[in-house]
Amino acid sequence: MAGMPATTTPALEARGLTVDRRADAGMLRVLDGVDLSVEAGTLTDVVGPSGAGKSTLLLALARLLPDVRGELLLKGEAAAGIDPRAWRVRVAYLPQRSALLPGTVGHNLALPWRLKVRAEVPRPDDAALRAALDRVHLADVALDRDTARLSEGQAARVALLRTVLTRPAVLLLDEPDASLDEESAEQVGLLTREFVDAGGAVVRVRHLRSDGHADRRLRLFAGALTEDVAS
Amino acid sequence: MTAVQLAGGVVAIGWPQLLLASGFVLVTGAIALWMQLGVSKDLAIATVRTYVQLLALGLVLRWAFAADRWWWVVGILAIMTVAAARIILKRAPDAPSGLFLAAVTSMAVTGITVTFAVTGLVIGADPWYSPRYVIPIAGMVLGNSMTGIALSLERVFADLDSRKDEIRAMTALGATPWEAAHPSVRAALRAGLIPAINSMAAAGIVFIPGMMTGQILAGADPLEATKYQIVVMLMVAAAEIVGAALAVLMSYRRRFSADGVYLERGFRE
């Protein structure tokens, strides 16, 4: 198993994750019995060549793929005993692109609390959302700004902030700083690290060189996950 | 005038005149050939089908009106409903499989409620199954709800596919399939209702609607024909929205797995 020796119950654990999908030439095995264990308060980078199945791994961990074989455990509790939507609230996946919906920044930040799954959770008010934006150096972004008018870096930070504000136990980030300018990438890295230091677990798919935030680095190749020898 | 005669206020069209109308098709066919549109064969087949299907319908209606039995009326409506459902599924090739039941159910519920609301409450047909009223009204209801349903089904699945990244982002935040699909469902229902709205907006200014034209040609008072036409147009709008709403609500969930995950192309049956 690729991972650190477990001394406590891992925040998230995967055993034998296998994913097949239909391709032109028949069924294609994207993940082939992947094992993974991530601890709370750690940041794990997953690297690998394009098409190796890195995004598929994150989607499988978030239970956002149909027909995934293998076992998933959240703090030792089997996925079978957790409702898929409740799982996704605790294991939050952030896509690389198109994470924000058409509408304003405020509408997007408050979106999670308009969903049925958080009907009982108090929704942060505008002042709280404003303060959160300021904290990630987005003081110049008004809550009523249309998301279509955000730069790529601003959009990436707003999307990450929204997910972090929902306080998941595990954060799954798909290329969070790919194609961002240096300052935005740095802000995204700092916000991610802040989440980890507060006790969260992060699995991050990246193809860039290390940004110094990761606690370990795994390599996905030919559907299998190994410790990255370069790390 | 030798070939036409007056029959109860209606200028009857004789068989020679009916065949003469084929001349319009010859003109159309000539243009299609000259412009090399590649539709000459389809046009010829469609023309033959128009003659055969409509004359057969005329004979069936003449027989059904004379028979005047409720079970024949219900049987004819059932055949029309199933045929419409099959056409709907052909027009939405990207829709998931297994939608026949949804198409038939939405057509049947729309057909029954709207048709009998009009014949019973507005026209006051007696008996309730009066074939002279029920069959033509049901034909218009089913025909228009078929269009609305086909447009909406085609639109909802195309829109879901175009929003797949957004749907994934919402699902990742804990959205239900309904919450994630809602904008696509709204877009689809709007698309299904647009033909009826356009038709209502243009009626009387751009064109004289078909039913009203038919009644006036058949010798009816224009104001009476207008009243019928208004009922029909409102009925058609209701048929389109009710049919489209039922069909879309019964089918959008098939694009999601049991766990509420949107099924992208590589994961569909």
Side-chain angles (χ1 to χ4, degrees), chain A residues 22 64 85 88 115-116 118, chain B residues 173 179 259 261 266 268:
Chain A
R22 285 181 184 80
L64 282 169
R85 283 191 296 137
R88 290 172 204 136
L115 301 175
K116 206 171 144 193
R118 291 184 189 79
Chain B
L173 289 168
E179 286 170 324
D259 277 357
V261 174
R268 291 175 192 167

Side-chain angles (χ1 to χ4, degrees), chain A residues 19-22 59 63-66 84-85 88-89 93 95 98-99 101-102 111-112 114-118 162, chain B residues 163 165-166 168-177 179 257-269:
Chain A
V19 174
D20 296 320
R21 69 184 306 163
R22 285 181 184 80
L59 291 170
R63 294 176 69 184
L64 282 169
L65 282 183
R85 283 191 296 137
R88 290 172 204 136
V89 165
Y93 165 81
S98 311
L101 271 54
L111 173 67
R114 283 200 303 274
L115 301 175
K116 206 171 144 193
V117 74
R118 291 184 189 79
R162 177 180 66 189
Chain B
R163 291 182 54 245
D165 291 337
E166 190 181 315
R168 175 178 281 173
M170 289 192 72
T171 309
L173 289 168
T176 60
E179 286 170 324
S257 72
D259 277 357
V261 174
Y262 186 67
L263 296 171
E264 292 184 24
R265 286 193 186 275
F267 293 97
R268 291 175 192 167
E269 289 296 322

